[in-house]
Amino acid sequence: MADPQIRIVLAKLGLDGHDRGLRVVTRMLRDAGFEVVYLGLRQTTEMVVSAAIQEDADAVGLSLHNASHMTLAPRMVQALRDADLDIPVIVGGIIPDDDIGPLRDAGVAAILGPGASAADVAQAVRDAVAGSATV
Amino acid sequence: MSDHTTAGDEYRDAWQAAYEAAQLRDTAFSTMSGVEVDPVYGEGPYPGQYPYTRGIHASMYRSRLWTMRMFAGFGTAEDTNVRFKELLRNGGTGLSTAFDMPTLMGRDSDSEWSLGEVGRAGVAVDTLADMEDLFADIDLSGVSTSMTINGPAPIVMAMYIAVAEKTGVERAALSGTIQNDIFKEYQAQKEYIFPPRPSVRLITDMMRFTSAEMPRWHPVSVSGYHIREAGSTAAQELAFTIANGFAYVEAATAAGLDVDAFAPRLSFFFNAHSDFFEEIGKFRAARRIWARWMKERYGAEDPKSHMLRFHTQTAGVSLTAQQPRNNIARVATQALSAALGGTQSLHTDSYDEALALPTEEAARIALRTQQIVAHETGVTNVADPLGGAPYVEWMTDEMERQAEEVFAHLDRLGDGSILEGVYAGIEDGYFVSEIAEASYRFQREVNSGQRIIVGVNAFTEGNEDSEQNLLRIDPGVEDLQRKRLAAVKSDRDDTAVDAALARVRADAADPGTNLMPAFIDAVSAYATLEEVVEALESEFGRYTEKAVI
């Protein structure tokens, strides 16, 4: 069972409007007992940082579908570091295999691709929060 | 309900006359084994007869195959121009443009919002200069162009007109479609800029402009594709899309246009998903519903106003990242359902689209897939070959029944106006929550294994082989495009730009003025897309969605 304490902020950065995945993940995580703060579309890294502080979040989840992950995900990691927030960033969406290594190197804690099950998603969040994330 | 009546002979005679008047393709309409087949079987109303359940033409694909319209766009305008020419050389018969996310949202490439998204999922268009590159060396009077853009559609349309006229092609000679369907943006795709009511004004302005000056242009493509991709059911896709169509009809007639002056130029865009007979039923029901409502509720008299014409794209969301080449089979069956459903044009997805934008090779296989359906399967010999089959007729009726329930709901919500019902459904989250609920239900079925998706939750041997050959967009595109924009800005006459933008603001403030001439003016002075959008925003405001699950 999920730790009921885990609270995650979910957001879409930038202009991309593909929110089906993030909406489904929000429901999956809520059903699994997580507390989800759904920020929705058109968020900036600053907006996500301020929500993470306000909500005392344990993790940040981003959904990226527009090949912008190599630009936006590292910026999110950096923005949290700059705000002294030591919480993991989890990325879901269309991420080619070749980009997984560089994203991990940039500090992304976990990467979830298309077809990840509800159990995969919940486990990835738990592991990331516990600091033992695996891709 | 079913169209079968006892006036069979009259239907038959009228159909026969229409068929004989039609020009046919120069090919043998016989089976592979040499058996001659009739152009249609079963009972009337036949294809080409109201309510057009069986198709909009008496001879259907015997006269003309569907247009094989492949969507393309990536990187800079020059890159996409090369792909366009490649598609034309390979037997594609129409161009279709994908714009990048900043363009779709009315942002320039140098905006802070555009970071990481310039040229990634489509082509970047900031100014008329990019549009000039995009269509360089292509005779715009000889192609039909589809532009998939909504929020800033009238501005991009103005650029297309300006490019054509610069190369000596008159606007009246331009043929094509611009998506320009804002309702489904609030409901599903989320690429809106302004609030719904001023956005609808932009659309009615364009409808008025094209019906007066561009008789070969389709000013709105009412699109269910994105509603389905966002997770709706087939019946919801059908119902929401057609309701949006009704809403545009009500908006245009309220703006003083005669229904028969614009309705013949409306077109639709549907998804071809994996449940074969459900899709065919959906396509057939769409034609019947539209014909009946246009005639009975909206008083359209021109038969062309009753005919629902549609483009189809196979379901991107059905493609799996696991064992991606299996997607070729999915696309083939989906394409077949579109052909059996009587589509006017078709885009087939590339097998690698769950992973990245398609490579040239994957895009070619996708085009070949629909060529195989068109030329090898024989389904084009007979119009509506499944008409009369009990399951197909039942499914058609069932799709219609479910859609009528939604229309009744919206009609109540809008106190007798579908337009007001659609506004209200956007406002109260009806569409978004219905779609989200359906998509979550589907996902739970996949999770529990109740619904099998090959390679995802069953038959996973082979998943470890990854697809090596993916299209990578050079991240340098973003830099290149910013430099290009800077160069255009430094070359233009800023005084002319300011004057043109002032006119946009003034015309926006006056609901009685058509904005299209001001847009053509502004883009011709090389005002950027975002500059024109901001001029409009100062009058219209900007829309944001409530973040509610």
Side-chain angles (χ1 to χ4, degrees):
Chain A
M1 285 305 292
D3 179 350
Q5 305 300 317
I6 293 185
R7 185 180 292 181
I8 182 167
V9 167
L10 296 183
K12 285 197 63 85
L13 292 182
L15 297 171
D16 173 26
H18 293 93
D19 62 354
R20 175 180 181 164
L22 196 62
R23 284 175 175 275
V24 166
V25 166
T26 298
R27 302 267 305 251
M28 279 177 176
L29 289 175
R30 283 182 184 164
D31 286 356
F34 290 79
E35 207 175 316
V36 180
V37 180
Y38 174 78
L39 299 182
L41 295 168
R42 315 262 141 71
Q43 300 294 306
T44 62
T45 51
E46 294 78 15
M47 289 155 94
V48 175
V49 166
S50 104
I53 293 170
Q54 253 172 42
E55 302 287 346
D56 193 20
D58 302 302
V60 165
L62 302 177
S63 168
L64 296 163
H65 284 85
N66 267 21
S68 56
H69 49 273
M70 294 305 287
T71 311
L72 296 179
R75 278 166 64 93
M76 189 70 248
V77 170
Q78 194 54 49
L80 290 168
R81 281 182 189 153
D82 291 348
D84 286 326
L85 280 182
D86 183 23
I87 59 174
V89 173
I90 300 150
V91 168
I94 308 284
I95 314 291
D97 288 350
D98 292 353
D99 291 345
I100 290 176
L103 284 177
R104 297 299 306 264
D105 292 345
V108 173
I111 293 135
L112 292 157
S117 69
D120 297 340
V121 174
Q123 195 56 46
V125 176
R126 265 182 234 120
D127 290 348
V129 170
S132 60
T134 48
V135 174
Chain B
M1 292 295 101
S2 150
D3 305 320
H4 301 162
T5 74
T6 50
D9 289 348
E10 276 171 50
Y11 284 132
R12 189 78 202 180
D13 294 347
W15 173 84
Q16 192 71 40
Y19 179 78
E20 280 164 14
Q23 199 156 36
L24 302 183
R25 286 185 293 127
D26 183 21
T27 183
F29 300 110
S30 58
T31 70
M32 193 173 266
S33 319
V35 179
E36 291 293 326
V37 296
D38 290 344
V40 71
Y41 291 87
E43 295 169 26
Y46 292 101
Q49 295 176 340
Y50 182 89
Y52 306 102
T53 314
R54 304 198 62 189
I56 59 170
H57 300 300
S59 51
M60 282 306 291
Y61 302 132
R62 283 196 176 200
S63 288
R64 202 172 150 269
L65 294 172
W66 59 85
T67 301
M68 300 185 188
R69 194 188 287 284
M70 303 296 282
F71 193 44
F74 61 93
T76 65
E78 281 170 315
D79 297 334
T80 302
N81 179 259
V82 170
R83 179 66 71 87
F84 277 170
K85 291 178 190 163
E86 157 87 11
L87 280 170
L88 291 173
R89 270 197 303 277
N90 268 284
T93 48
L95 300 178
S96 184
T97 317
F99 297 99
D100 72 354
M101 192 56 70
T103 306
L104 294 172
M105 292 298 296
R107 299 285 187 185
D108 288 344
S109 298
D110 59 1
S111 157
E112 179 69 15
W113 277 103
S114 304
L115 206 71
E117 304 197 48
V118 176
R120 293 293 167 94
V123 63
V125 171
D126 294 314
T127 67
L128 183 60
D130 298 318
M131 207 67 153
E132 288 165 350
D133 289 350
L134 186 57
F135 293 104
D137 308 317
I138 295 171
D139 175 11
L140 295 185
S141 66
V143 293
S144 96
T145 302
S146 166
M147 288 184 281
T148 301
I149 193 157
N150 298 280
I155 307 163
V156 170
M157 182 77 220
M159 288 184 187
Y160 190 73
I161 293 167
V163 167
E165 295 190 341
K166 275 187 113 175
T167 60
V169 176
E170 288 180 12
R171 61 184 72 161
L174 295 175
S175 145
T177 305
I178 191 153
Q179 197 164 75
N180 198 29
D181 167 17
I182 204 67
F183 287 133
K184 61 96 172 51
E185 299 299 337
Y186 306 109
Q187 296 159 348
Q189 189 171 235
K190 315 293 173 74
E191 290 161 11
Y192 37 70
I193 301 176
F194 312 113
R197 286 172 200 268
S199 293
V200 168
R201 176 206 164 173
L202 289 174
I203 290 168
T204 52
D205 277 4
M206 180 123 83
M207 287 167 80
R208 186 192 295 278
F209 180 85
T210 56
S211 74
E213 305 202 31
M214 300 175 68
R216 302 175 64 203
W217 198 269
H218 297 280
V220 181
S221 168
V222 192
S223 303
Y225 186 80
H226 321 80
I227 292 171
R228 192 67 179 283
E229 290 285 295
S232 83
T233 64
Q236 287 169 338
E237 176 198 355
L238 173 68
F240 297 170
T241 309
I242 302 238
N244 291 345
F246 297 153
Y248 293 123
V249 168
E250 292 181 15
T253 48
L257 283 164
D258 175 60
V259 64
D260 286 317
F262 66 84
R265 303 307 295 169
L266 291 178
S267 63
F268 286 79
F269 172 21
F270 291 111
N271 198 301
H273 216 298
S274 297
D275 194 309
F276 195 67
F277 289 103
E278 187 173 59
E279 295 305 288
I280 294 166
K282 178 186 78 183
F283 299 132
R284 299 175 87 248
R287 278 191 297 269
R288 184 158 74 203
I289 293 166
W290 186 251
R292 287 195 175 149
W293 277 66
M294 289 306 286
K295 184 175 182 181
E296 289 165 19
R297 174 136 170 177
Y298 298 116
E301 287 170 4
D302 184 345
K304 287 199 163 58
S305 300
H306 305 154
M307 293 178 195
L308 179 141
R309 292 158 296 273
F310 68 100
H311 172 67
T312 306
Q313 180 171 338
T314 58
V317 79
S318 74
L319 304 180
T320 65
Q322 296 80 1
Q323 305 176 49
R325 284 171 196 236
N326 293 347
N327 293 327
I328 297 171
R330 293 189 174 98
V331 168
T333 63
Q334 293 166 2
L336 186 60
S337 76
L340 292 169
T343 194
Q344 274 61 60
S345 65
L346 178 62
H347 167 103
T348 32
D349 287 329
S350 301
Y351 69 83
D352 55 356
E353 284 184 56
L355 302 161
L357 288 176
T359 60
E360 211 159 303
E361 187 209 359
R364 189 177 312 118
I365 291 173
L367 175 60
R368 295 289 178 257
T369 302
Q370 57 172 303
Q371 288 165 337
I372 289 167
V373 171
H375 297 287
E376 296 185 17
T377 65
V379 298
T380 55
N381 285 338
V382 177
D384 190 36
L386 298 180
Y391 180 39
V392 171
E393 295 298 343
W394 179 87
M395 186 61 86
T396 307
D397 293 347
E398 175 62 15
M399 288 288 117
E400 181 177 23
R401 187 190 65 74
Q402 290 191 34
E404 289 289 347
E405 284 181 5
V406 172
F407 304 148
H409 172 74
L410 293 171
D411 207 31
R412 275 195 304 275
L413 214 56
D415 280 330
S417 155
I418 298 285
L419 175 60
E420 290 301 324
V422 168
Y423 284 138
I426 290 166
E427 181 68 23
D428 75 6
Y430 163 73
F431 297 106
V432 167
S433 65
E434 288 281 299
I435 294 168
E437 192 56 44
S439 100
Y440 191 50
R441 183 178 52 78
F442 178 83
Q443 200 57 49
R444 279 201 315 261
E445 289 170 6
V446 174
N447 266 327
S448 69
Q450 197 185 335
R451 188 171 293 281
I452 298 290
I453 306 291
V454 172
V456 173
N457 61 0
F459 316 111
T460 53
E461 300 80 8
N463 281 8
E464 54 292 336
D465 305 336
S466 77
E467 185 68 27
Q468 296 304 324
N469 179 27
L470 293 182
L471 183 77
R472 308 287 304 196
I473 303 292
D474 175 4
V477 162
E478 193 153 320
D479 234 24
L480 212 66
Q481 184 61 21
R482 283 211 194 88
K483 287 194 181 112
R484 168 126 180 88
L485 176 57
V488 172
K489 278 183 176 170
S490 76
D491 280 352
R492 66 186 187 176
D493 174 356
D494 285 336
T495 325
V497 172
D498 290 345
L501 292 174
R503 180 182 171 193
V504 170
R505 277 190 296 274
D507 287 2
D510 173 15
T513 301
N514 194 311
L515 276 157
M516 285 304 296
F519 292 153
I520 295 173
D521 225 34
V523 301
S524 298
Y526 294 88
T528 71
L529 186 64
E530 185 164 339
E531 287 168 342
V532 180
V533 163
E534 284 183 345
L536 290 173
E537 188 189 349
S538 67
E539 288 300 324
F540 294 165
R542 199 173 272 271
Y543 183 82
T544 50
E545 175 183 274
K546 287 176 225 145
V548 179
I549 294 279

